[in-house]
Amino acid sequence: MKGKSYMQDSMTTDKVTFEDNRVTGNLEYCHNLIMQVHPNPQEDVKFATTHAMLIARVMDDINSKVLIQGTSFVQQYILQKGLKVFGDQGRKASTKEMDQLHRRSCFMPISIKEMIPQEHKKAMEAFIFLMEKHDQMIKGQIVYNRKPTREWLTREDSVSPMVALESIMLTAVIDAHEECDVMTVNILNAFIQMEMPKPKEGEERVIMKITGVLVDMLVQLKPELYGPYVVYENGCKVLYAQVLKVIYSMLQALLLWYKKFQNDLKKEGFIFNLYDPCIANCIIKKKQQTIRFHVDDLKSSHVLAEVNDEFEKWLQKKYGGHGKVKAHCRKIHDYLGMIFNY
């Protein structure tokens, strides 16, 4: 058994076809494409009394463990509250985040006069959250208000494949059996490395609405660029900007990243598994390298450590421009909240 792979399906040229569209539901389960959001966002999700009691019990158990063991999750604050909590540190973190998006050309200011009514209606507000990380550094994060966009974005435009738990476990067993070298990787700032698809003639642009303090920060960073586009709506400063690169929390973000990473791997000779679209294989030095990924968290394995070393260099060159790619190559890995000890 040593040296063989149990995920060779992706190396064949056979294609899977379905004779009846009625099996779409099974296809979604097979490919792990089940939508993560409520299918009718305009309706509130109602829980039965028993479900409500169960949820309350789970919340209470988590809270009790936090109090007893001293473990806590990161607390996020909306900008106004965050500035009260963190003061000057919060303001510096917010300005740094805005400066980062500005320098990376993530958006471009536009005149409200140039916008068609539909673009104005669909312009989503930008929010910024502040949080204190475990190293006590204050971090700001710009997010795009994605909730209303569910009304006009289809599933095909917003739902991304995710690696199946069964695939992670099966490939982990194979790695252990074949004594592979295993590397886990996190790609920093993955989303803002992707450009938004250019709208075709007649299509609407993706517009972001920046308000209040955030407008002041941008004008202070580059007054000649942003100043002329500032308008007042109901007494509040507003700046409209066309989104050029993917902003965190956009519904399209996961799918756009998946397509980009998939295409990049294919150009390197990787072939994607027929049963899990987040597993890719490539024969290197007569042995198989297996990549599995959940958004920007990757796991690579090959019997030769030098293959993973070369793959890390490729990742650094390809995606390390906005922050060094973090790679871990020891025997114990913390991957997607699971500890793998090889």
Side-chain angles (χ1 to χ4, degrees):
M1 304 294 285
K2 188 174 179 61
K4 286 188 177 181
S5 171
Y6 302 98
M7 298 291 284
Q8 290 286 352
D9 308 285
S10 63
M11 307 306 296
T12 67
T13 57
D14 296 336
K15 294 183 178 179
V16 177
T17 58
F18 296 91
E19 297 179 354
D20 194 333
N21 290 330
R22 288 175 295 180
V23 300
T24 301
N26 294 332
L27 176 63
E28 289 178 337
Y29 277 105
C30 175
H31 285 239
N32 202 24
L33 299 176
I34 294 301
M35 186 167 61
Q36 301 293 317
V37 299
H38 193 274
N40 299 303
Q42 69 277 9
E43 298 180 5
D44 292 331
V45 181
K46 297 181 179 179
F47 296 101
T49 303
T50 52
H51 289 161
M53 292 176 63
L54 175 61
I55 294 170
R57 179 59 183 270
V58 172
M59 293 172 64
D60 182 65
D61 287 347
I62 294 173
N63 184 57
S64 299
K65 185 163 289 189
V66 166
L67 294 175
I68 295 171
Q69 298 184 1
T71 304
S72 181
F73 298 101
V74 173
Q75 174 67 55
Q76 287 187 328
Y77 299 95
I78 196 72
L79 180 61
Q80 290 80 356
K81 176 66 174 178
L83 292 177
K84 292 179 181 179
V85 174
F86 301 119
D88 289 340
Q89 284 184 296
R91 185 171 294 276
K92 289 179 181 178
S94 303
T95 304
K96 181 180 178 181
E97 176 72 358
M98 293 301 291
D99 181 54
Q100 174 178 261
L101 297 185
H102 160 71
R103 287 186 291 103
R104 293 171 179 170
S105 302
C106 293
F107 46 76
M108 175 182 64
I110 60 173
S111 172
I112 192 172
K113 298 177 182 179
E114 300 174 0
M115 296 166 56
I116 62 176
Q118 279 298 99
E119 289 178 335
H120 188 271
K121 181 181 178 181
K122 293 182 178 180
M124 293 294 101
E125 192 168 353
F127 298 115
I128 187 166
F129 290 96
L130 294 173
M131 67 197 82
E132 183 177 2
K133 301 180 71 175
H134 295 296
D135 58 3
Q136 298 185 332
M137 183 183 77
I138 308 303
K139 175 179 172 57
Q141 186 169 59
I142 295 286
V143 299
Y144 180 88
N145 183 19
R146 68 182 182 182
K147 185 176 180 180
T149 63
R150 290 173 179 155
E151 296 180 11
W152 59 82
L153 279 177
T154 64
R155 292 182 62 187
E156 289 76 13
D157 294 328
S158 59
V159 178
S160 172
M162 298 292 179
V163 64
L165 179 61
E166 293 86 349
S167 301
I168 296 173
M169 293 303 182
L170 286 170
T171 54
V173 171
I174 296 169
D175 293 340
H177 179 75
E178 297 183 353
E179 299 181 357
C180 290
D181 180 79
V182 178
M183 176 178 69
T184 49
V185 179
N186 176 244
I187 299 176
L188 300 179
N189 300 311
F191 290 163
I192 62 173
Q193 300 189 44
M194 295 179 294
E195 295 185 357
M196 290 291 294
K198 293 183 179 180
K200 299 177 182 178
E201 186 176 353
E203 289 185 344
E204 302 161 10
R205 297 166 294 184
V206 178
I207 307 297
M208 185 167 64
K209 182 179 179 180
I210 304 170
T211 61
V213 179
L214 299 182
V215 176
D216 295 333
M217 291 179 182
L218 283 175
V219 173
Q220 191 174 19
L221 287 170
K222 201 76 172 177
E224 67 276 13
L225 176 61
Y226 298 107
Y229 295 94
V230 177
V231 296
Y232 283 83
E233 291 183 355
N234 298 322
C236 179
K237 291 180 183 178
V238 176
L239 177 67
Y240 289 95
Q242 180 182 353
V243 179
L244 302 178
K245 293 185 178 180
V246 175
I247 305 293
Y248 184 78
S249 190
M250 297 181 75
L251 280 182
Q252 309 99 310
L254 295 178
L255 183 58
L256 290 174
W257 166 254
Y258 172 80
K259 289 180 177 179
K260 173 179 171 57
F261 189 61
Q262 182 190 52
N263 289 334
D264 289 344
L265 285 181
K266 284 182 176 180
K267 289 177 182 177
E268 296 300 311
F270 282 88
I271 299 175
F272 278 72
N273 190 274
L274 295 175
Y275 301 98
D276 192 323
C278 293
I279 299 287
N281 300 312
C282 185
I283 300 299
I284 301 177
K285 297 185 177 181
K286 299 182 180 181
K287 298 292 182 179
Q288 179 171 283
Q289 180 182 8
T290 299
I291 308 294
R292 65 238 81 173
F293 59 98
H294 181 90
V295 192
D296 53 1
D297 288 307
L298 324 177
K299 197 159 177 260
S300 170
S301 59
H302 192 278
V303 292
L304 299 176
E306 61 194 71
V307 173
N308 277 334
D309 293 340
E310 289 300 316
F311 185 63
E312 181 189 353
K313 291 178 183 177
W314 177 80
L315 290 171
Q316 293 287 4
K317 182 179 179 180
K318 196 77 177 175
Y319 309 110
H322 295 304
K324 187 177 180 181
V325 172
K326 294 184 177 180
H328 182 79
C329 300
R330 297 188 178 89
K331 292 293 184 181
I332 300 177
H333 297 266
D334 184 350
Y335 184 65
L336 302 181
M338 297 174 282
I339 305 299
F340 292 89
N341 189 340
Y342 290 94

